[in-house]
Amino acid sequence: MSEIWKDGRFLPADAPAVAADDRGLLLGDGLFETVKCRDGQALRWRRHRDRLAEGAGLLGIPLPAALAGIEAIAGELLRRNGLADAVLRLTLTRGSGERGLLPPAEPRPTLLLSSAPLPPTRPPARAILAATARRDERSILARVKSLNYLEGVLARMEAAGRGADEAILLNTAGRPAEASAANLFLAIDRQLVTPPVAEGALPGTMRAEIMATERVLERPIEIEDLARASEAFLSSSLGIRALVAIDGRSLADGETGPVTRRIAAAIERTERPG
Amino acid sequence: MSEIWKDGRFLPADAPAVAADDRGLLLGDGLFETVKCRDGQALRWRRHRDRLAEGAGLLGIPLPAALAGIEAIAGELLRRNGLADAVLRLTLTRGSGERGLLPPAEPRPTLLLSSAPLPPTRPPARAILAATARRDERSILARVKSLNYLEGVLARMEAAGRGADEAILLNTAGRPAEASAANLFLAIDRQLVTPPVAEGALPGTMRAEIMATERVLERPIEIEDLARASEAFLSSSLGIRALVAIDGRSLADGETGPVTRRIAAAIERTERPG
């Protein structure tokens, strides 16, 4: 039986773990990180930790002391679950509270860690432009990875219903902001471009990794840019995924293009040191 | 020890109740209702049930069979908790799921019921115009009472930080849509007005109750209308609450005005038949 870890204890994964008055459940009052692991080691951990801390600061959620030792706990969880290459999910909520929106004066946050086997590399994605959901680029929620993820869920359901793998969400100005759970990169005129965070793009950890090693132009993307792009790809903590069709129109002849292949390979090398 | 009810069982309120892979917790993938009870009876239950069913339809969450008997279960929960006048919270999530955004093919929703004593009648509210959060009036999420409630939380925290009781959220067009967890009504030129759902107002149960019995004009409200109003009040499932100041400017001389008093009394009468 697989296990999870919560607030200091390992528990069976299918056991009830969270109290009915946890604000994460009742109000989506919390944050999460999805962390790729290789050989039992969390990748890009510093980026995940920093983003979680920044989000917690924006929401006013105190960081639990256990967070300092969470890498070792994650390693132990993977061992217990017999996983080497894995995906960790770290969930931080504001913890239990009285009825109502206002948080308790001294919140006791809930920290939860679960793991799953690393999914196999996915084939190139075919995306739609989501009609059911969009990003409000001026909302704090567009800048933090919060538990308010229903727009992403609806966008992905819409994609599946239209026979696609992914959904690109437009912002309130009608410009592509990101995918349901990934950032968007386009190659236009030999230039790599991605929407800025101010456009409603989540500050993704893989996005940051790419921007630290590649020349990337951050600028608002228009829908027309999607048609002009020679290649497109999605980035998430799990990796790079080519985007080969948007709303039925093929990109890069429906194949993973050379820029996408090169960047995916460069990321892959950083994940397998030695 | 107080109890809750979950998926067929009564449990201690402080016991772990929800699995760590519940999509309500992980993604805010669910809905809720807050139901006022008098003498052990749920008030305006049909409105709550219909809104929950409509929201579940929009999100594609199947309604659990237990929902049909939930009124009797609620009565039993109140008896067990020694409550007559109470607030029920009904939470419906899409249930457990595999990692990722896409729901399982056959979701097994989680249904959760908790209760709290009815809070005492609150004094008139002083509100701010929220700067930290706003309503995207074009989002499905503005029309359903989902677990994605972080914007309301942030708005209420901002209000508290500025010494106010409530926050009014503007929509993306900069017009007042509603309060953090209540609908907004203004009396202007002897006419009761409230923003339409298309402006980002939640279709509130008490809002519907008022509109069924009073002459109410649904129209977009401008910020300038707040200054023109002779009275303002907030409506929620718990009742009517006078709004006597907005951003420090007094309304109705800082007292509960005659229109608000009349409507609050009329609602109160429907809650105490006989």
Side-chain angles (χ1 to χ4, degrees), chain A residues 4 13-20 22-30 32 34 58-60 87 89 91 93-94 99 101-103 112 116 119 132 134 136 138-141 146-154 156-157 160 172 180-181 238, chain B residues 4 13-20 22-30 32 34 58-60 87 89 91 93-94 99 101-103 112 116 119 132 134 136 138-141 146-154 156-157 160 172 180-181 238:
Chain A
I4 61 161
D14 62 354
V18 175
D22 193 287
R23 293 171 57 94
L25 172 71
L26 298 180
L27 301 165
D29 192 2
F32 74 102
T34 300
L58 282 167
L59 302 186
V87 191
R89 156 113 184 189
T91 305
T93 85
R94 207 186 298 266
R99 216 190 62 74
L101 299 189
L102 218 52
L112 190 69
T132 50
R134 62 178 186 169
D136 180 357
R138 285 159 61 191
S139 170
I140 290 181
L141 300 194
S146 87
L147 301 177
N148 286 222
Y149 226 81
L150 201 37
E151 283 171 346
V153 170
L154 292 172
R156 275 298 300 280
M157 289 171 71
T172 66
S180 67
L238 297 191
Chain B
I4 60 161
D14 62 353
V18 175
D22 194 287
R23 293 171 57 95
L25 171 70
L26 298 181
L27 301 165
D29 192 2
F32 73 101
T34 300
L58 281 168
L59 302 186
V87 191
R89 155 115 186 189
T91 304
T93 84
R94 207 187 299 265
R99 215 190 62 74
L101 300 189
L102 218 51
L112 190 70
T132 50
R134 60 178 189 170
D136 180 358
R138 286 160 60 192
S139 170
I140 289 180
L141 300 194
S146 87
L147 302 178
N148 285 221
Y149 226 80
L150 201 36
E151 281 169 349
V153 170
L154 291 172
R156 276 299 301 281
M157 289 172 71
T172 67
S180 68
L238 297 191

Side-chain angles (χ1 to χ4, degrees), chain B residues 170-188:
Chain B
L170 308 181
N171 64 21
T172 67
R175 291 190 293 265
E178 61 175 352
S180 68
N183 288 114
L184 174 66
F185 287 80
L186 303 178
I188 302 179

Side-chain angles (χ1 to χ4, degrees), chain A:
Chain A
M1 181 61 213
S2 180
E3 290 183 309
I4 61 161
W5 177 93
K6 177 181 172 287
D7 295 331
R9 292 170 58 201
F10 292 93
L11 305 167
D14 62 354
V18 175
D21 64 355
D22 193 287
R23 293 171 57 94
L25 172 71
L26 298 180
L27 301 165
D29 192 2
L31 297 160
F32 74 102
E33 293 290 330
T34 300
V35 186
K36 185 176 182 177
C37 301
R38 288 279 193 195
D39 301 325
Q41 298 290 316
L43 300 174
R44 297 173 284 278
W45 170 246
R46 190 179 51 77
R47 292 194 190 280
H48 287 289
R49 183 201 60 198
D50 291 353
R51 181 172 63 182
L52 187 71
E54 186 169 341
L58 282 167
L59 302 186
I61 299 178
L63 291 176
L67 198 60
I70 203 75
E71 262 192 285
I73 295 167
E76 171 68 11
L77 181 67
L78 295 186
R79 272 190 296 280
R80 284 172 173 252
N81 288 336
L83 294 172
D85 294 350
V87 191
L88 284 173
R89 156 113 184 189
L90 183 65
T91 305
L92 172 69
T93 85
R94 207 186 298 266
S96 290
E98 298 286 310
R99 216 190 62 74
L101 299 189
L102 218 52
E106 298 190 7
R108 293 174 54 192
T110 298
L111 190 60
L112 190 69
L113 200 60
S114 61
S115 66
L118 190 65
T121 304
R122 294 163 299 177
R126 307 179 66 82
I128 56 155
L129 295 181
T132 50
R134 62 178 186 169
R135 285 280 178 266
D136 180 357
E137 68 278 12
R138 285 159 61 191
S139 170
I140 290 181
L141 300 194
R143 303 205 301 274
V144 301
K145 201 167 173 70
S146 87
L147 301 177
N148 286 222
Y149 226 81
L150 201 37
E151 283 171 346
V153 170
L154 292 172
R156 275 298 300 280
M157 289 171 71
E158 181 187 355
R162 292 167 62 188
D165 313 296
E166 252 297 355
I168 292 172
L169 281 83
L170 307 181
N171 64 20
T172 66
R175 290 189 292 265
E178 60 175 352
S180 67
N183 287 114
L184 173 66
F185 286 80
L186 303 179
I188 301 178
D189 299 337
R190 295 167 183 265
Q191 171 72 59
L192 208 53
V193 299
T194 195
V197 169
E199 284 284 291
L202 184 80
T205 53
M206 185 63 85
R207 177 182 184 274
E209 190 81 9
I210 295 168
M211 292 179 66
T213 52
E214 300 281 333
R215 287 172 59 104
V216 181
L217 179 64
E218 279 188 284
R219 70 156 172 86
I221 288 178
E222 305 289 342
I223 288 182
E224 297 73 40
D225 286 327
L226 302 175
R228 290 176 57 215
S230 58
E231 291 181 43
F233 65 84
L234 304 173
S235 72
S236 76
S237 58
L238 297 191
I240 307 288
R241 187 179 190 189
L243 190 58
V244 295
I246 298 174
D247 268 352
R249 201 189 66 81
S250 283
L251 270 150
D253 301 324
E255 306 275 341
T256 302
V259 175
T260 305
R261 271 205 307 274
R262 180 178 60 73
I263 294 173
I267 295 292
E268 180 79 10
R269 276 193 300 274
T270 68
E271 297 182 355
R272 295 207 179 271

Side-chain angles (χ1 to χ4, degrees), chain B residues 92-140:
Chain B
L92 172 68
T93 84
R94 207 187 299 265
S96 290
E98 298 286 312
R99 215 190 62 74
L101 300 189
L102 218 51
E106 297 189 7
R108 295 174 54 193
T110 297
L111 191 60
L112 190 70
L113 201 59
S114 61
S115 67
L118 190 65
T121 304
R122 295 162 298 176
R126 307 178 66 82
I128 56 154
L129 296 182
T132 50
R134 60 178 189 170
R135 285 277 178 267
D136 180 358
E137 69 277 15
R138 286 160 60 192
S139 170
I140 289 180

